[in-house]
Amino acid sequence: MTVRGALQSGAASLRARSIDTPFLDATLLLAEALATTKERLFAAYSDEISPERAELFQRLLGERLSGRPVSYIRRRKEFFGREFYVDERVLVPRPDSEPLVEAALRIIDGCERVAPIRRVHDVGTGSGCLALTLALERPYLAVSASDLSPGAEEVFRINAARLACDLPFTRASLLSGLPGPFDMIVSNPPYLTDAEVQAMIESGWPEPPEALRGGREGLDCIEQLVAQSVDCLVRDSYLLIECAPQQVERAAGMLTAAGYERVEVLPDLAGRGRVVIGRLRTAGGAERA
Ligand code: GLN
């Protein structure tokens, strides 16, 4: 069988199961089976595939057909131009979270001459995509991360080692017991509704429910995080939270009520409100170090 033939038949079987992106998925899985990149694959359409590689491709395809996301099958996902190790212990990093990184970098750069931001903390870091990206993009920052899940801690440490970016990690429920103070807190907390998570579990979706479940309206963790954050931040520091588009207004209201000013909502790549940002007016009086 040729590369072209394998791609066509693979994509056809994925399409038959109504998988969203059949050709892309088939391409990524064939590249995986052939230990090559998708770009090199496109330049090798007429190459013959060995029976062993074809069998491996069929196995990977079978995993995808049984509902496993491509990122878990390949055990990696690109985020902000870097590759992160992922498996069932963590949420797969989404492009939806990249605008949060961009916003954080913009604020950090904008504050540099006035009141430099140094201590940045990522709450519920999962794979570590936010914390490690910020630390690698701006190496002078003192970035730390936390997560309640022991599995997430393991995956975080794998990524920290692979990206040669050794950051302090604490196992904690949101900000409980974290030393602080911080100049900026970022988070992609669990924000799906109980009903959404239940539907995902019933459909066999393998992402960890505890990374997604945000209570009846999906706002429980956000509410708790906003409340805790004011004791962990210094004056004029920033909180950036990712949430669902239908939650942004209520999340913004929570920030305002907690004493944040200049509260704004930034859109994701699809133009839907996604990141809520606020600057803390006063916080225990502590100044930036
Ligand atoms: N963006 C994720 C989803 O829609 C949810 C992530 C989260 O709860 N933090 O599946």
Side-chain angles (χ1 to χ4, degrees):
M1 185 185 274
T2 61
V3 165
R4 181 187 287 106
L7 282 179
Q8 282 168 349
S9 73
S13 50
L14 293 171
R15 196 173 301 115
R17 292 279 183 90
S18 309
I19 284 173
D20 279 353
T21 49
F23 192 76
L24 175 64
D25 289 13
T27 305
L28 290 169
L29 296 179
L30 184 58
E32 186 73 7
L34 300 179
T36 185
T37 62
K38 66 178 191 315
E39 291 73 23
R40 271 192 244 131
L41 202 64
F42 291 143
Y45 263 5
S46 48
D47 286 8
E48 280 295 322
I49 301 172
S50 74
E52 299 76 39
R53 298 286 181 173
E55 199 183 307
L56 177 56
F57 177 51
Q58 288 309 321
R59 216 183 64 220
L60 300 181
L61 210 54
E63 286 187 43
R64 182 68 193 102
L65 287 167
S66 73
R68 209 160 165 226
V70 172
S71 303
Y72 285 159
I73 301 174
R74 300 173 74 225
R75 300 210 172 276
R76 57 189 192 274
K77 170 77 179 182
E78 194 188 279
F79 182 80
F80 218 82
R82 293 184 184 83
E83 207 164 80
F84 285 79
Y85 171 85
V86 290
D87 63 26
E88 277 81 350
R89 291 173 287 185
V90 295
L91 209 64
V92 176
R94 310 268 204 281
D96 289 341
S97 303
E98 291 181 344
L100 187 152
V101 173
E102 279 163 7
L105 294 175
R106 226 172 18 245
I107 293 170
I108 290 163
D109 293 347
C111 286
E112 194 54 29
R113 286 168 168 219
V114 197
I117 288 174
R118 287 292 176 270
R119 298 160 299 186
V120 178
H121 187 76
D122 175 16
V123 180
T125 193
S127 63
C129 63
L130 296 181
L132 293 164
T133 300
L134 290 172
L136 289 162
E137 290 292 319
R138 298 292 183 273
Y140 50 81
L141 296 176
V143 182
S144 52
S146 57
D147 203 296
L148 185 57
S149 147
E153 175 172 3
E154 287 160 14
V155 174
F156 174 87
R157 294 197 188 283
I158 292 172
N159 281 315
R162 284 194 178 181
L163 294 165
C165 183
D166 189 18
L167 302 183
F169 178 99
T170 310
R171 185 107 47 89
S173 168
L174 298 177
L175 286 161
S176 305
L178 282 174
F182 305 112
D183 304 320
M184 174 181 274
I185 292 173
V186 300
S187 186
N188 174 11
Y191 58 70
L192 296 192
T193 64
D194 287 341
E196 285 169 328
V197 176
Q198 193 52 37
M200 283 174 100
I201 293 171
E202 280 163 16
S203 74
W205 188 253
E207 284 188 304
E210 67 273 18
L212 296 163
R213 191 181 284 120
R216 203 170 66 80
E217 295 178 281
L219 285 159
D220 291 4
C221 294
I222 294 175
E223 189 169 22
Q224 211 182 328
L225 179 58
V226 173
Q228 289 181 341
S229 67
V230 293
D231 293 325
C232 294
L233 287 165
V234 296
R235 185 181 304 155
D236 291 340
S237 53
Y238 290 84
L239 176 64
L240 291 83
I241 305 180
E242 178 181 322
C243 50
Q246 68 275 17
Q247 295 168 338
V248 287
E249 274 180 35
R250 292 196 41 205
M254 289 176 194
L255 264 71
T256 307
Y260 285 87
E261 60 179 9
R262 297 199 215 158
V263 175
E264 53 174 330
V265 172
L266 297 184
D268 62 15
L269 302 172
R272 300 165 303 191
R274 179 63 81 161
V275 183
V276 177
I277 302 179
R279 194 175 86 151
L280 193 60
R281 228 176 307 136
T282 52
E287 300 293 337
R288 199 158 289 164

